[in-house]
Amino acid sequence: MSSTVNPSDQMSDAQGRVELAPGAVPAGGRFVNDDLLPVPVARRRWTTYNFTALWVSMAHNIPSWLLASGLVALGMDWKQAVFTIALANVIVLFPMLLTGHAGPKYGIPFPVLARASFGLRGANLPALIRAAVACAWFGIQTWIGGQGIFILLGKVFGGWTEAAEVAGQPWTLWLCFIVFWAVELAIIYRGMETLRRFENWAAPFVIVGALVLLVWIAVKAGGFGPLLDQPSELGWGADFWPVFFPSLMGMIAFWSTLSLNIPDFTRFGAGQRAQVWGQTLGLPTTMTLFALLSVLVTSGSQAVYGEAIWDPVQLAAKTDNVFGLLYALVTVLVATISVNIAANVVSPAYDLANLAPRFINFRKGALITGVVGVLIMPWKLTETPELYIFAWLGLVGGLLGTVAGVLIADYWIVRRTRLALADLYRPHGIYWYAAGWNWRAVLAFAVGGVLAIGGSHSAPGKGPFPEEGLIPFLKPLADYGWAVGLAASLLLYTALMKGRGTSPS
């Protein structure tokens, strides 16, 4: 089963990179704008270093720090937390590389790739789900960044944190949030090349900042010994595994967003080698190192202050050194901006452009993302580790794993990486299906989604779901949501497409 390709519509080079032939897709069509068209081969220039730097700068951010330190706060010791995060990122790397393959080969973003499986109109379903998640993440990151600025400035300028309250928060906190929000959108508004340059220098800067925090807490604790001696409250027995499996799915879910829209970046890649090596060197190694730094620092805070302080901003604020506070402030700014504009603005900008190509381009999509990211009230989602890791990440991971299963099945199993590039942009071609929708993909997504998140449950008073689960008999699957969703949708979609008895073309 492979798509029928018209040789006059597309051209290939010696590396197998494909681009549209001149005039293959008329300008101004319903499903076309300049941001959605394939990147010309001559502009696919990102190298292994660019992809590695992208992942280093995205991985080194406060929410990923909160993941690792949150596991310590949930009772794990440093070895258990690092093991959980390392395993999760090795697992999520595989769908990342599989979906990323279409980027260097065809130069297309995620919503255009989704048209091959869901149809030209149906692709808006996974695109809008991904966009909604990204908008929420953008809001979370921006709130955390603004909060970091607020706390650190409060230590530098007395009285800053005691300002009059507006809507339950000091007006100075809202000011930090709004200023930070505006800076992020100003950077991404300048385009992807500006983003690439920013990520290149942000990556090493944030690494140094994390190491400085580790040395500081180690000195306060009297050496690294106390950091490593904090015992696990769970052990490795019956108490550990009920926390481990939902935590593992939560860690996978953290980057499951990028496992869908990684073509938004790899479409600029110089070739498959650059994206494969860049992501392999950048994602699991960086996240594991950062997790180690995070849990060591959190364990150190437990040794020094008698409690696990899982927020690095709150921890940094305990120093009275003005230079240290300013350095921490700059590190928080760079770390949060580097991940937020890359991971949470690029994708919804393309996704929203895919919704209405004639009216929304990349820049307008970015501005819409910024507005929606504020409206979802992100300050509610990071109040506790249970809500952040289990409820929010578990739900997101289940849904996005389901979409990933459909994309991987279509691109690798059904089409064996062969796409008719021009038909991804024109109606009534081979990806039109039934009025622009492939009901097989929608059904596979629906079934996988119900299996993945239908059993979502929360401990009493710890989250938004009923204790017995939304659908009680699916409760045993809830702790494995991402894996269940991906496997179920992949198998069902493959069976439905193979069952057509004809080529998908």
Side-chain angles (χ1 to χ4, degrees):
M1 280 188 175
S2 61
S3 300
T4 300
V5 176
N6 186 340
S8 65
D9 285 338
Q10 58 192 53
M11 305 174 294
S12 302
D13 67 3
Q15 297 183 52
R17 296 179 298 178
V18 180
E19 62 183 340
L20 288 172
V25 175
R30 280 184 293 162
F31 300 96
V32 179
N33 69 23
D34 290 342
D35 295 313
L36 296 177
L37 284 171
V39 174
V41 167
R43 288 178 46 213
R44 300 179 201 174
R45 297 192 296 261
W46 285 33
T47 64
T48 297
Y49 175 78
N50 293 140
F51 286 113
T52 302
L54 176 73
W55 273 114
V56 170
S57 57
M58 286 201 299
H60 290 166
N61 63 86
I62 297 173
S64 66
W65 182 286
L66 297 180
L67 285 181
S69 58
L71 293 180
V72 174
L74 289 171
M76 291 188 184
D77 64 16
W78 71 272
K79 295 184 291 294
Q80 292 169 331
V82 171
F83 167 72
T84 303
I85 290 173
L87 179 59
N89 283 281
V90 169
I91 292 172
V92 82
L93 176 66
F94 287 100
M96 201 85 67
L97 296 177
L98 291 175
T99 53
H101 183 279
K105 184 170 183 178
Y106 294 103
I108 54 177
F110 155 66
V112 174
L113 174 62
R115 292 175 180 179
S117 51
F118 283 86
L120 267 71
R121 287 174 172 158
N124 286 318
L125 172 63
L128 289 178
I129 290 171
R130 173 64 183 96
V133 171
C135 289
W137 269 123
F138 175 80
I140 290 171
Q141 292 270 13
T142 304
W143 176 255
I144 290 173
Q147 201 173 39
I149 298 170
F150 169 77
I151 291 171
L152 295 173
L153 285 179
K155 292 286 290 186
V156 177
F157 304 108
W160 180 262
T161 57
E162 283 79 40
E165 290 191 356
V166 175
Q169 302 287 353
W171 70 264
T172 46
L173 175 55
W174 294 115
L175 176 64
C176 292
F177 176 59
I178 292 170
V179 170
F180 191 63
W181 174 87
V183 169
E184 291 176 310
L185 291 185
I187 293 175
I188 195 61
Y189 197 77
R190 295 179 62 86
M192 290 293 288
E193 188 61 22
T194 299
L195 173 62
R196 182 181 71 86
R197 291 195 297 266
F198 180 83
E199 301 291 351
N200 283 347
W201 70 263
F205 183 89
V206 177
I207 293 176
V208 172
L211 291 172
V212 168
L213 189 59
L214 174 63
V215 171
W216 172 70
I217 197 67
V219 171
K220 295 278 287 186
F224 286 99
L227 277 63
L228 302 174
D229 289 341
Q230 296 299 318
S232 170
E233 297 175 11
L234 304 173
W236 288 94
D239 292 335
F240 173 70
W241 302 109
V243 176
F244 169 75
F245 284 110
S247 296
L248 180 69
M249 292 301 109
M251 300 307 104
I252 291 172
F254 189 76
W255 290 124
S256 65
T257 51
L258 268 294
S259 70
L260 294 186
N261 75 283
I262 195 65
D264 294 345
F265 300 95
T266 61
R267 68 192 298 229
F268 297 96
Q272 296 299 339
R273 182 182 178 86
Q275 76 101 1
V276 169
W277 279 106
Q279 294 203 78
T280 302
L281 293 172
L283 173 57
T285 54
T286 301
M287 281 295 289
T288 302
L289 173 62
F290 203 56
L292 180 60
L293 290 174
S294 172
V295 296
L296 288 177
V297 170
T298 304
S299 295
S301 71
Q302 205 164 25
V304 173
Y305 299 106
E307 61 175 331
I309 302 174
W310 70 309
D311 187 339
V313 174
Q314 297 284 353
L315 185 59
K318 288 186 173 291
T319 181
D320 293 322
N321 184 288
V322 174
F323 174 79
L325 287 167
L326 291 176
Y327 183 82
L329 176 62
V330 175
T331 303
V332 166
L333 283 170
V334 174
T336 308
I337 289 174
S338 65
V339 65
N340 215 14
I341 58 179
N344 302 318
V345 180
V346 171
S347 171
Y350 283 126
D351 296 337
L352 292 167
N354 187 70
L355 180 64
R358 292 182 180 179
F359 306 104
I360 303 175
N361 59 17
F362 180 83
R363 287 182 168 86
K364 289 180 181 177
L367 293 176
I368 294 171
T369 300
V371 173
V372 175
V374 174
L375 296 179
I376 56 97
M377 296 187 292
W379 44 89
K380 297 290 186 182
L381 289 174
T382 54
E383 288 182 336
T384 68
E386 292 85 3
L387 184 61
Y388 178 50
I389 293 176
F390 295 158
W392 164 243
L393 288 179
L395 189 68
V396 165
L399 286 177
L400 298 185
T402 304
V403 175
V406 173
L407 294 184
I408 293 169
D410 184 79
Y411 183 71
W412 284 96
I413 301 174
V414 175
R415 306 188 190 280
R416 302 190 185 279
T417 76
R418 295 187 69 230
L419 297 175
L421 195 54
D423 277 356
L424 291 170
Y425 297 92
R426 56 193 182 198
H428 309 296
I430 62 175
Y431 307 119
W432 188 243
Y433 300 104
W437 288 80
N438 182 6
W439 66 265
R440 297 165 184 83
V442 176
L443 179 60
F445 168 76
V447 172
V450 170
L451 292 175
I453 67 173
S456 297
H457 58 92
S458 301
K462 296 291 187 178
F465 305 118
E467 185 178 2
E468 66 277 7
L470 293 172
I471 304 175
F473 75 89
L474 293 178
K475 184 177 178 179
L477 300 180
D479 290 346
Y480 314 94
W482 179 85
V484 169
L486 187 145
S489 62
L490 185 149
L491 293 173
L492 180 56
Y493 180 82
T494 301
L496 290 172
M497 292 298 285
K498 296 282 188 180
R500 294 178 75 185
T502 59
S503 167
S505 62

